[in-house]
Amino acid sequence: MRKLKIGSVGEIGIYLHWTFLLLVIGIFAFYLYQGATVVAALVGVGLILAVFACVVLHELGHALTARRFDVPTRDITLYPIGGIARLERIPEEPMKEFWIAIAGPAVNVVIAAVLGAWLLATGGVLSPAQVLQPDGGNFLATLMWLNVVLFGFNLLPAFPMDGGRILRALLATRLEYARASHIAAGVGQGMAILFGIVGLLIFNPFLIFIALFVFFGAQQESQQAMMRAITRGVPVRQVMLTRFATLSPYDTLDEAVNELLAGSDQDFPVVDGGQVVGVLTRKQLMKALAEVGRTARVADVIEPGCFVVEDATMLEDAFAWMSQAQCSTVPVVRGGALVGLLTLENVGEMIMISSALRKGGRPGEVRSVLAAHEAASR
């Protein structure tokens, strides 16, 4: 199991990624290696757990603000490098994204303010130096300053931090969304390069790791924004495959192998009496061949398809469902009858075509290409 559920708030599940346990064990071992007592090592682990409790509150700030804008949150997962709240979608309105993005750092400000007020009221020490001395007496001071650090770090204008999303939201109030994302991603990658150079100069592996994390995070965000811009307003029927082989539940795996070898299809919709009853993927076929042999029936080895989608469904929605369900192939129907297949591969081809036309200064031709494909498939 890659993730362990540790609780939920409303319908939002909170999970620990398995690598988080390695962080806890590593922190404990590091303290002992430095000559600390077991008690001090446990306090150090406790501090890390307290910081990640603040990270959960930070992510809940995003999730609960998103809920106010009718944007559901799938779950919150804690990794050694922080937490991620997976929203179902990005709001269409830039200022909604702005408020969702800024809600997380605002939670850290509130936590730091509450801890600071408590320390002032009880005569505690507020020196920033305490962040380097996480012993029992300075635990709350350390936690307070770490929340200040979390606030500042997350406001850096670089994806995937909140500051990158805030910058994009502000730019998107005046620019096209994809353009705003491209600029924000460029700023983030520029910062990542700067972090990497400094990390190399001072021989700081952690700073180099942060640089790589920010650089590739910004690149991924830019690609997702381009995907969103390209798929918006495009119905599934304009990009679906219309030339494909089908199988019957009563076919043998030997017949499925022949279809696999005869063409370029890798996944086959299984149709019985005109109705889609499942999809036989290449992975399932290879597993079945190894376990039951070529004479078995398709009906004995297929699993129900993830879902079917109507050909009038918007590609943006269908792609989001495919990503969520981890489906690479989805049958497309019209009035219950199979009319096409939607695969991640042909969505990727559409993106490559769009990218090539954009580089050639002809982005408006994307719609013409899709319309021509739809007309040719009728």
Side-chain angles (χ1 to χ4, degrees):
M1 181 182 293
R2 295 180 60 190
K3 296 195 296 187
L4 171 67
K5 187 172 184 178
I6 59 173
S8 61
V9 176
E11 298 179 353
I12 305 170
I14 302 174
Y15 297 85
L16 278 181
H17 194 267
W18 70 270
T19 52
F20 183 86
L21 300 177
L22 296 181
L23 172 67
V24 173
I25 296 171
I27 291 294
F28 185 77
F30 176 77
Y31 272 90
L32 295 181
Y33 178 76
Q34 293 294 317
T37 65
V38 172
V39 172
L42 290 174
V43 171
V45 170
L47 177 63
I48 293 298
L49 295 178
V51 169
F52 274 89
C54 295
V55 170
V56 171
L57 294 176
H58 173 111
E59 298 301 330
L60 282 173
H62 293 309
L64 297 179
T65 304
R67 178 181 291 179
R68 291 196 61 185
F69 296 127
D70 298 321
V71 177
T73 300
R74 297 176 188 171
D75 54 49
I76 294 172
T77 303
L78 294 180
Y79 299 88
I81 57 176
I84 295 178
R86 292 198 306 153
L87 305 183
E88 290 283 354
R89 57 185 173 83
I90 302 296
E92 295 289 336
E93 298 86 349
M95 289 312 298
K96 288 185 179 180
E97 181 180 15
F98 171 84
W99 290 116
I100 292 172
I102 206 169
V107 169
N108 295 117
V109 171
V110 172
I111 294 172
V114 170
L115 291 174
W118 174 263
L119 290 168
L120 283 174
T122 57
V125 180
L126 293 175
S127 169
Q130 303 310 314
V131 79
L132 301 176
Q133 302 174 23
D135 58 53
N138 300 317
F139 188 95
L140 293 181
T142 302
L143 188 60
M144 180 193 72
W145 285 110
L146 285 176
N147 271 279
V148 173
V149 171
L150 286 174
F151 168 76
F153 180 72
N154 275 286
L155 282 187
L156 291 175
F159 290 121
M161 276 85 78
D162 299 325
R165 303 185 190 281
I166 291 170
L167 176 60
R168 175 175 63 190
L170 294 175
L171 290 172
T173 60
R174 295 181 176 274
L175 302 173
E176 184 187 51
Y177 181 84
R179 177 62 177 162
S181 297
H182 183 71
I183 293 173
V187 172
Q189 289 183 319
M191 291 187 64
I193 292 172
L194 180 61
F195 289 163
I197 292 173
V198 173
L200 289 172
L201 290 176
I202 64 175
F203 302 104
N204 188 321
F206 182 72
L207 196 56
I208 295 173
F209 172 76
I210 292 294
L212 293 172
F213 174 71
V214 171
F215 186 89
F216 290 111
Q219 185 178 56
Q220 182 180 26
E221 194 70 35
S222 181
Q223 291 171 347
Q224 289 176 349
M226 179 178 291
M227 166 75 78
R228 180 182 175 188
I230 293 171
T231 59
R232 182 180 297 163
V234 176
V236 166
R237 63 175 173 267
Q238 289 193 344
V239 296
M240 68 183 183
L241 295 174
T242 55
R243 298 174 185 172
F244 53 89
T246 63
L247 294 172
S248 162
Y250 313 105
D251 288 336
T252 64
L253 296 188
D254 197 26
E255 292 170 295
V257 169
N258 291 336
E259 291 289 356
L260 181 68
L261 295 176
S264 59
D265 295 355
Q266 298 184 1
D267 300 332
F268 302 93
V270 182
V271 181
D272 186 16
Q275 297 295 314
V276 179
V277 296
V279 175
L280 180 65
T281 66
R282 183 174 62 175
K283 181 179 179 181
Q284 291 171 344
L285 176 58
M286 295 303 108
K287 180 181 178 182
L289 287 173
E291 293 178 352
V292 297
R294 298 169 60 183
T295 58
R297 298 289 181 182
V298 169
D300 298 329
V301 300
I302 63 167
E303 299 175 4
C306 294
F307 56 90
V308 297
V309 62
E310 286 285 337
D311 66 334
T313 302
M314 291 297 106
L315 180 58
E316 182 180 9
D317 295 330
F319 184 76
W321 299 337
M322 291 174 72
S323 299
Q324 184 177 357
Q326 297 183 338
C327 287
S328 61
T329 301
V330 174
V332 182
V333 298
R334 182 186 300 139
L338 180 67
V339 294
L341 282 182
L342 180 65
T343 71
L344 294 181
E345 184 177 1
N346 64 302
V347 172
E349 288 169 347
M350 179 192 122
I351 292 171
M352 287 190 292
I353 292 169
S354 176
S355 178
L357 289 172
R358 286 174 181 272
K359 288 179 180 179
R362 294 181 290 273
E365 293 185 20
V366 176
R367 302 291 180 183
S368 299
V369 170
L370 296 179
H373 171 70
E374 180 184 0
S377 64
R378 289 175 180 171

